[in-house]
């Protein structure tokens, strides 16, 4: 007997890639269970599937930085500054990334690269260990949202968030819609998706000097002039990151989707200011992963 739940959850995370650096991603999760009927004539109660399995998946990979532990470009060590924290040093084709975070902010995937198959294997092993004995098989489908327009991958952290969004390197795969005088402007959408392709979005308020960094000795020795440094304390612990300039965009606000939408609107408004067109209406629909986001407009309702 088989039991399925489509669109069980969406996992928002970032991962390390030797070609692209730090990549934000969002995958939809479908689940299929194989097993015998239990005493309630069920393979598993839908309520358990939706709550327990979703909770297991969220705890394992959601809002984390996924680490390809077999990649020779990656080094993970215990922090010498903070208890239960780890250093992550990663060399990629687009630059080097160095972090310190609480260990719970990382998911260690025992593969050479982060792929759907690799994450699927990782999750299958974790989930099956926690299911009733009558459940004999588990099949997960991890899939990206089908987007028929431009989109971008971004990584960030929210120091003011009391949940897992506080982690300094989690991310999303997001689309955007921009309207000029109520007409969709795909040219502007494409420009923003190019600007934020595989980007790390940092808040200026979180910038620190090199002397204040808490990173590994290896990282401190290898930092380059084009690295920028950010750090903050949040309920889960201390977070530090060094990001190469070419993969960085620093904003003058926090990086919640609401404020990112407003940031985009403000940048668009500046670009139109020299045209002396006070009647121009602008609206930004910014997504954070799948099926959620924020809308801002320069026209008051």
């Amino acid at each position: 007997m088989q039991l399925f739940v489509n669109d069980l959850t969406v996992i928002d995370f970032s991962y390390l890639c030797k070609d692209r650096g730090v990549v934000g991603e969002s995958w939809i999760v479908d689940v299929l269970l194989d097993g015998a009927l239990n005493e309630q004539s069920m393979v598993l109660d839908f309520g358990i599937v939706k709550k327990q399995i979703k909770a297991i998946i969220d705890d394992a990979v959601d809002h984390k930085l996924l680490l390809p532990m077999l990649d020779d470009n990656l080094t993970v060590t215990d922090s010498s500054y903070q208890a239960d924290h780890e250093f992550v040093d990663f060399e990629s084709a687009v630059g080097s990334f160095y972090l310190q975070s609480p260990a719970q902010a990382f998911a260690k995937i025992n593969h050479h690269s982060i792929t759907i198959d690799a994450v699927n294997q990782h999750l299958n092993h974790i989930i099956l260990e926690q299911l009733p004995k009558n459940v004999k098989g588990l099949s997960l489908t991890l899939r990206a949202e089908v987007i028929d327009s431009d989109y971008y991958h971004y990584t960030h952290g929210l120091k003011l968030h009391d949940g897992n969004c506080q982690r300094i390197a989690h991310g999303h795969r997001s689309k955007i819609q921009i309207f000029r005088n109520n007409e969709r402007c795909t040219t502007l959408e494409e420009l923003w998706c190019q600007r934020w392709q595989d980007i790390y979005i940092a808040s200026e308020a979180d910038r620190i000097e090199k002397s204040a960094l808490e990173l590994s000795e290896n990282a401190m020795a290898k930092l380059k002039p084009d690295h920028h440094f950010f750090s903050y304390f949040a309920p889960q612990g201390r977070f530090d990151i060094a990001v190469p300039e070419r993969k960085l965009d620093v904003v003058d606000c926090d990086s919640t989707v609401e404020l990112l939408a407003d940031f985009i609107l403000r940048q668009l408004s500046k670009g139109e200011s020299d045209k002396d067109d006070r009647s121009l209406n602008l609206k930004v629909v910014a997504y954070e992963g799948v099926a959620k986001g924020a809308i801002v407009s320069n026209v008051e309702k």
Side-chain angles (χ1 to χ4, degrees), residues 230-254:
F230 305 89
S231 180
Y232 53 78
F233 283 94
Q236 292 179 2
R238 172 163 172 148
F239 296 86
D240 294 77
I241 191 168
V243 184
E245 186 171 330
R246 65 183 293 195
K247 303 306 295 183
L248 174 68
D249 201 347
V250 183
V251 297
D252 60 358
C253 56
D254 204 358

Side-chain angles (χ1 to χ4, degrees), residues 160-177:
L160 300 179
H161 197 272
D162 58 5
N164 293 335
C165 291
Q166 69 187 261
R167 294 166 178 169
I168 204 167
H170 76 277
H172 315 272
R173 173 181 181 263
S174 302
K175 59 186 178 182
I176 186 173
Q177 297 170 351

Side-chain angles (χ1 to χ4, degrees), residues 144-155:
E145 177 188 18
V146 176
I147 300 175
D148 60 2
S149 59
D150 289 297
Y151 56 87
Y152 48 83
H153 299 256
Y154 73 97
T155 299

Side-chain angles (χ1 to χ4, degrees), residues 27-28 32 48 58 79 81-82 89 93 95 103 108 123 130 141-142 157 176-177 190 193 215 221 227 296:
W27 287 343
I28 302 165
L32 178 68
I48 295 176
D58 288 349
S79 170
Y81 294 98
Q82 306 287 336
D89 301 349
K108 298 175 180 177
L123 289 175
Q130 301 184 50
T141 299
L142 308 178
I176 186 173
Q177 297 170 351
E190 181 181 7
C193 290
L215 295 176
H227 274 107
V296 295

Side-chain angles (χ1 to χ4, degrees), residues 82-123:
Q82 306 287 336
D84 301 318
H85 287 52
E86 292 179 322
F87 295 135
V88 168
D89 301 349
F90 186 70
E91 311 285 338
S92 79
V94 298
S96 304
F97 298 82
Y98 304 110
L99 300 97
Q100 176 188 241
S101 290
Q104 62 180 296
F106 302 124
K108 298 175 180 177
I109 310 298
N110 195 35
H111 286 264
H112 289 91
S113 61
I114 303 300
T115 64
I116 284 179
D117 286 343
V119 178
N120 206 329
Q121 291 178 31
H122 179 75
L123 289 175

